[in-house]
Amino acid sequence: MLGPLEVLIDGVPVHLGGSRQQTVLGVLLANAGRPLPRRRLGSLVWNDPPPSAGPNLRTYLRRLRSALTDPLSLESRVVADRRQVTLRTEPGELDLEVFDSLCRSADRAREAGDAAGAVAVYDRALRLWRGNPLEGVDVDNPLYATAVELTERRYAVESRRWGLLVESGDFGAAIGELRAAMVANPFRERLAELLMVALYKDHRRWEALQVFAETRDLMVDSLGLEPGPELRRAHRRILDDDLAP
Protein backbone atom coordinates (compact mmCIF):
# COMPACT_ATOMS: atom_id res chain seq x y z
CA MET A 1 0.00 0.00 0.00
CA LEU A 2 2.95 2.32 0.56
CA GLY A 3 3.25 3.29 -3.07
CA PRO A 4 1.50 2.08 -6.23
CA LEU A 5 -0.73 -0.85 -5.26
CA GLU A 6 1.26 -4.05 -5.64
CA VAL A 7 0.83 -7.74 -4.76
CA LEU A 8 3.65 -10.28 -4.98
CA ILE A 9 3.34 -14.07 -4.85
CA ASP A 10 6.74 -15.71 -4.41
CA GLY A 11 8.29 -12.44 -5.59
CA VAL A 12 6.26 -12.35 -8.80
CA PRO A 13 3.89 -9.37 -9.36
CA VAL A 14 0.21 -10.24 -9.69
CA HIS A 15 -1.92 -8.61 -12.37
CA LEU A 16 -4.51 -6.59 -10.44
CA GLY A 17 -6.79 -5.46 -13.27
CA GLY A 18 -8.06 -1.97 -13.98
CA SER A 19 -8.26 1.03 -11.69
CA ARG A 20 -11.70 0.24 -10.25
CA GLN A 21 -10.73 -3.34 -9.44
CA GLN A 22 -7.56 -2.05 -7.80
CA THR A 23 -9.70 0.33 -5.75
CA VAL A 24 -11.69 -2.67 -4.48
CA LEU A 25 -8.42 -4.32 -3.46
CA GLY A 26 -7.19 -1.10 -1.85
CA VAL A 27 -10.33 -0.90 0.30
CA LEU A 28 -9.91 -4.54 1.32
CA LEU A 29 -6.25 -3.97 2.19
CA ALA A 30 -7.15 -0.94 4.31
CA ASN A 31 -9.52 -3.24 6.22
CA ALA A 32 -7.38 -6.40 6.06
CA GLY A 33 -8.54 -9.15 8.38
CA ARG A 34 -11.86 -7.44 9.12
CA PRO A 35 -15.16 -8.57 7.53
CA LEU A 36 -16.51 -5.76 5.36
CA PRO A 37 -20.24 -5.70 4.52
CA ARG A 38 -20.78 -5.64 0.77
CA ARG A 39 -22.85 -2.48 0.99
CA ARG A 40 -20.11 -0.75 2.92
CA LEU A 41 -17.50 -2.00 0.46
CA GLY A 42 -19.48 -0.55 -2.43
CA SER A 43 -19.78 2.84 -0.72
CA LEU A 44 -15.98 2.94 -0.35
CA VAL A 45 -15.36 2.02 -3.98
CA TRP A 46 -17.80 4.49 -5.57
CA ASN A 47 -18.51 7.99 -4.35
CA ASP A 48 -21.81 7.83 -6.22
CA PRO A 49 -22.48 4.14 -6.99
CA PRO A 50 -23.93 3.58 -10.49
CA PRO A 51 -26.87 1.19 -11.10
CA SER A 52 -24.35 -1.42 -12.23
CA ALA A 53 -22.32 -1.20 -9.00
CA GLY A 54 -23.61 -4.52 -7.60
CA PRO A 55 -22.85 -6.69 -10.65
CA ASN A 56 -19.55 -4.89 -11.22
CA LEU A 57 -18.48 -5.47 -7.63
CA ARG A 58 -19.24 -9.18 -7.95
CA THR A 59 -17.10 -9.31 -11.11
CA TYR A 60 -14.20 -7.51 -9.45
CA LEU A 61 -14.34 -9.80 -6.41
CA ARG A 62 -14.45 -12.92 -8.58
CA ARG A 63 -11.34 -11.76 -10.46
CA LEU A 64 -9.53 -10.83 -7.25
CA ARG A 65 -10.37 -14.20 -5.67
CA SER A 66 -8.77 -15.84 -8.69
CA ALA A 67 -5.72 -13.54 -8.74
CA LEU A 68 -5.09 -13.96 -5.00
CA THR A 69 -5.34 -17.74 -4.85
CA ASP A 70 -2.43 -19.50 -3.16
CA PRO A 71 -0.78 -21.73 -5.79
CA LEU A 72 -0.10 -24.47 -3.21
CA SER A 73 -3.23 -24.59 -1.04
CA LEU A 74 -5.50 -23.29 -3.83
CA GLU A 75 -7.23 -21.16 -1.20
CA SER A 76 -7.97 -17.53 -2.01
CA ARG A 77 -7.08 -14.67 0.31
CA VAL A 78 -10.42 -13.07 -0.62
CA VAL A 79 -13.19 -14.76 1.38
CA ALA A 80 -16.69 -13.65 0.38
CA ASP A 81 -20.27 -14.66 1.03
CA ARG A 82 -23.56 -12.98 0.21
CA ARG A 83 -23.23 -10.47 3.06
CA GLN A 84 -19.56 -9.62 3.55
CA VAL A 85 -16.02 -9.83 2.21
CA THR A 86 -12.76 -10.42 4.10
CA LEU A 87 -9.18 -10.17 2.88
CA ARG A 88 -6.91 -12.54 4.82
CA THR A 89 -3.29 -11.54 5.36
CA GLU A 90 -0.51 -13.20 7.33
CA PRO A 91 1.79 -11.32 9.75
CA GLY A 92 4.59 -9.56 7.90
CA GLU A 93 2.86 -9.62 4.51
CA LEU A 94 1.29 -6.16 4.43
CA ASP A 95 3.84 -3.34 4.16
CA LEU A 96 1.64 -0.96 6.16
CA GLU A 97 1.52 -3.36 9.11
CA VAL A 98 5.31 -3.82 8.98
CA PHE A 99 5.75 -0.02 8.82
CA ASP A 100 3.54 0.52 11.87
CA SER A 101 5.33 -2.21 13.83
CA LEU A 102 8.77 -0.74 13.08
CA CYS A 103 7.59 2.74 14.01
CA ARG A 104 6.34 1.49 17.38
CA SER A 105 9.75 -0.08 18.02
CA ALA A 106 11.50 3.16 17.01
CA ASP A 107 9.20 5.17 19.27
CA ARG A 108 10.10 2.95 22.22
CA ALA A 109 13.82 3.43 21.52
CA ARG A 110 13.27 7.17 21.24
CA GLU A 111 11.44 7.30 24.57
CA ALA A 112 14.25 5.29 26.17
CA GLY A 113 16.80 7.88 25.00
CA ASP A 114 18.39 5.69 22.32
CA ALA A 115 18.46 8.27 19.52
CA ALA A 116 20.80 6.33 17.22
CA GLY A 117 18.78 3.14 17.59
CA ALA A 118 15.51 4.97 16.96
CA VAL A 119 16.85 6.65 13.81
CA ALA A 120 18.06 3.29 12.47
CA VAL A 121 14.64 1.70 12.93
CA TYR A 122 12.83 4.75 11.51
CA ASP A 123 15.10 4.39 8.46
CA ARG A 124 14.05 0.75 8.04
CA ALA A 125 10.39 1.76 8.26
CA LEU A 126 10.69 4.60 5.77
CA ARG A 127 12.54 2.43 3.25
CA LEU A 128 9.30 0.47 2.83
CA TRP A 129 7.76 3.43 1.00
CA ARG A 130 7.88 3.21 -2.81
CA GLY A 131 6.09 6.48 -3.60
CA ASN A 132 2.77 8.05 -2.74
CA PRO A 133 0.44 5.65 -0.88
CA LEU A 134 -2.19 3.98 -3.08
CA GLU A 135 -0.76 5.97 -5.98
CA GLY A 136 -3.27 6.44 -8.80
CA VAL A 137 -6.42 6.68 -6.66
CA ASP A 138 -8.69 9.47 -7.94
CA VAL A 139 -9.09 12.43 -5.59
CA ASP A 140 -12.91 12.09 -5.73
CA ASN A 141 -12.75 8.44 -4.65
CA PRO A 142 -13.57 7.63 -0.99
CA LEU A 143 -10.31 5.67 -0.75
CA TYR A 144 -8.36 8.90 -1.36
CA ALA A 145 -8.94 9.85 2.29
CA THR A 146 -6.97 6.74 3.30
CA ALA A 147 -4.12 7.79 1.01
CA VAL A 148 -4.08 11.26 2.61
CA GLU A 149 -4.08 9.76 6.11
CA LEU A 150 -1.15 7.48 5.25
CA THR A 151 0.78 10.46 3.83
CA GLU A 152 0.30 12.32 7.13
CA ARG A 153 1.50 9.29 9.10
CA ARG A 154 4.65 9.17 7.01
CA TYR A 155 5.27 12.88 7.55
CA ALA A 156 4.84 12.47 11.33
CA VAL A 157 7.44 9.68 11.36
CA GLU A 158 9.84 11.68 9.20
CA SER A 159 9.45 14.67 11.53
CA ARG A 160 10.28 12.56 14.60
CA ARG A 161 13.35 11.19 12.82
CA TRP A 162 14.55 14.65 11.75
CA GLY A 163 14.02 15.90 15.29
CA LEU A 164 16.27 13.13 16.58
CA LEU A 165 18.98 14.01 14.04
CA VAL A 166 18.94 17.61 15.26
CA GLU A 167 18.91 16.63 18.94
CA SER A 168 21.80 14.20 18.49
CA GLY A 169 23.93 16.76 16.63
CA ASP A 170 23.87 15.17 13.17
CA PHE A 171 23.37 18.58 11.61
CA GLY A 172 24.82 17.75 8.20
CA ALA A 173 22.26 15.02 7.52
CA ALA A 174 19.42 16.97 9.11
CA ILE A 175 20.06 20.21 7.20
CA GLY A 176 20.39 18.52 3.80
CA GLU A 177 17.27 16.39 4.22
CA LEU A 178 15.19 19.22 5.67
CA ARG A 179 16.09 21.59 2.84
CA ALA A 180 14.98 18.96 0.31
CA ALA A 181 11.79 18.30 2.26
CA MET A 182 10.94 22.00 2.36
CA VAL A 183 11.16 22.23 -1.42
CA ALA A 184 8.43 19.57 -1.65
CA ASN A 185 6.45 20.86 1.36
CA PRO A 186 7.05 24.62 1.64
CA PHE A 187 4.12 25.23 4.01
CA ARG A 188 5.07 22.61 6.60
CA GLU A 189 6.12 24.93 9.41
CA ARG A 190 7.60 22.11 11.49
CA LEU A 191 10.17 21.54 8.74
CA ALA A 192 11.19 25.19 8.79
CA GLU A 193 11.43 25.15 12.58
CA LEU A 194 13.67 22.07 12.63
CA LEU A 195 15.85 23.48 9.85
CA MET A 196 16.25 26.78 11.68
CA VAL A 197 17.26 25.02 14.90
CA ALA A 198 19.72 22.75 13.06
CA LEU A 199 21.34 25.72 11.28
CA TYR A 200 21.59 27.72 14.50
CA LYS A 201 23.17 24.84 16.41
CA ASP A 202 25.58 24.37 13.49
CA HIS A 203 26.75 27.99 14.03
CA ARG A 204 24.85 29.28 10.96
CA ARG A 205 22.62 31.78 12.71
CA TRP A 206 22.21 34.08 9.71
CA GLU A 207 21.02 31.19 7.52
CA ALA A 208 18.55 30.16 10.22
CA LEU A 209 17.08 33.67 10.27
CA GLN A 210 16.98 33.67 6.47
CA VAL A 211 14.88 30.46 6.51
CA PHE A 212 12.33 32.19 8.73
CA ALA A 213 12.22 35.28 6.53
CA GLU A 214 11.74 33.24 3.35
CA THR A 215 9.08 31.04 4.94
CA ARG A 216 7.20 34.03 6.32
CA ASP A 217 7.28 35.83 2.96
CA LEU A 218 5.96 32.74 1.18
CA MET A 219 3.13 32.26 3.68
CA VAL A 220 2.08 35.90 3.62
CA ASP A 221 2.26 36.17 -0.18
CA SER A 222 0.59 32.82 -0.94
CA LEU A 223 -1.81 32.32 1.97
CA GLY A 224 -2.19 35.73 3.56
CA LEU A 225 -1.16 34.17 6.89
CA GLU A 226 1.60 34.80 9.39
CA PRO A 227 3.66 31.85 10.67
CA GLY A 228 2.26 29.99 13.66
CA PRO A 229 3.34 30.49 17.27
CA GLU A 230 5.91 27.66 17.39
CA LEU A 231 7.81 28.92 14.35
CA ARG A 232 7.67 32.51 15.64
CA ARG A 233 8.93 31.31 19.04
CA ALA A 234 11.89 29.54 17.43
CA HIS A 235 12.66 32.72 15.48
CA ARG A 236 12.56 34.84 18.64
CA ARG A 237 14.83 32.43 20.53
CA ILE A 238 17.36 32.48 17.70
CA LEU A 239 17.30 36.29 17.68
CA ASP A 240 17.89 36.25 21.44
CA ASP A 241 20.57 33.52 21.26
CA ASP A 242 18.33 31.59 23.62
CA LEU A 243 18.65 28.06 22.16
CA ALA A 244 20.73 25.47 23.95
CA PRO A 245 23.98 24.64 22.13
Side-chain angles (χ1 to χ4, degrees):
M1 297 177 68
L2 306 182
L5 198 61
E6 182 179 67
V7 175
L8 302 176
I9 297 180
D10 293 332
V12 179
V14 175
H15 178 64
L16 302 177
S19 61
R20 190 66 67 180
Q21 184 169 303
Q22 291 190 34
T23 299
V24 174
L25 178 58
V27 173
L28 293 175
L29 283 169
N31 296 274
R34 298 192 296 271
L36 198 60
R38 284 179 178 261
R39 185 182 296 274
R40 174 63 175 161
L41 175 57
S43 70
L44 294 172
V45 172
W46 287 277
N47 192 37
D48 184 17
S52 61
N56 288 348
L57 183 58
R58 289 193 292 272
T59 298
Y60 298 144
L61 289 172
R62 184 176 67 251
R63 292 173 179 170
L64 287 172
R65 279 200 302 271
S66 176
L68 301 181
T69 294
D70 189 300
L72 296 179
S73 68
L74 300 182
E75 294 183 356
S76 178
R77 295 303 184 91
V78 179
V79 180
D81 58 30
R82 296 181 61 182
R83 295 183 298 107
Q84 59 191 21
V85 183
T86 306
L87 179 68
R88 296 186 299 106
T89 60
E90 299 295 334
E93 287 184 330
L94 186 58
D95 57 359
L96 176 58
E97 291 181 356
V98 177
F99 173 77
D100 286 339
S101 176
L102 288 171
C103 288
R104 287 192 295 269
S105 297
D107 288 342
R108 288 193 293 269
R110 174 172 170 256
E111 291 164 3
D114 182 8
V119 168
V121 182
Y122 282 138
D123 284 340
R124 287 175 56 197
L126 291 167
R127 280 196 293 269
L128 294 171
W129 287 75
R130 298 170 289 107
N132 295 323
L134 300 171
E135 195 168 297
V137 175
D138 294 334
V139 295
D140 61 348
N141 189 284
L143 188 59
Y144 186 74
T146 299
V148 172
E149 190 264 339
L150 292 177
T151 299
E152 291 301 313
R153 283 162 68 176
R154 177 184 185 178
Y155 167 71
V157 170
E158 290 174 329
S159 294
R160 291 199 293 274
R161 178 184 169 278
W162 285 320
L164 284 173
L165 290 178
V166 175
E167 290 172 18
S168 62
D170 193 352
F171 303 128
I175 290 169
E177 293 181 22
L178 285 165
R179 285 198 186 279
M182 284 195 64
V183 172
N185 304 276
F187 299 110
R188 296 274 195 183
E189 293 186 49
R190 176 60 174 160
L191 300 180
E193 179 187 355
L194 286 170
L195 178 56
M196 288 164 58
V197 173
L199 287 166
Y200 177 83
K201 290 187 175 184
D202 198 35
H203 309 290
R204 297 156 70 175
R205 181 170 178 264
W206 180 85
E207 290 181 63
L209 295 173
Q210 185 179 38
V211 169
F212 178 82
E214 292 173 352
T215 302
R216 180 186 179 277
D217 288 347
L218 180 64
M219 293 184 65
V220 170
D221 293 344
S222 301
L223 306 176
L225 297 173
E226 289 285 342
E230 293 184 359
L231 189 56
R232 295 200 308 271
R233 188 178 303 116
H235 177 240
R236 172 49 57 188
R237 294 185 68 186
I238 289 171
L239 284 174
D240 295 342
D241 276 327
D242 187 32
L243 282 176

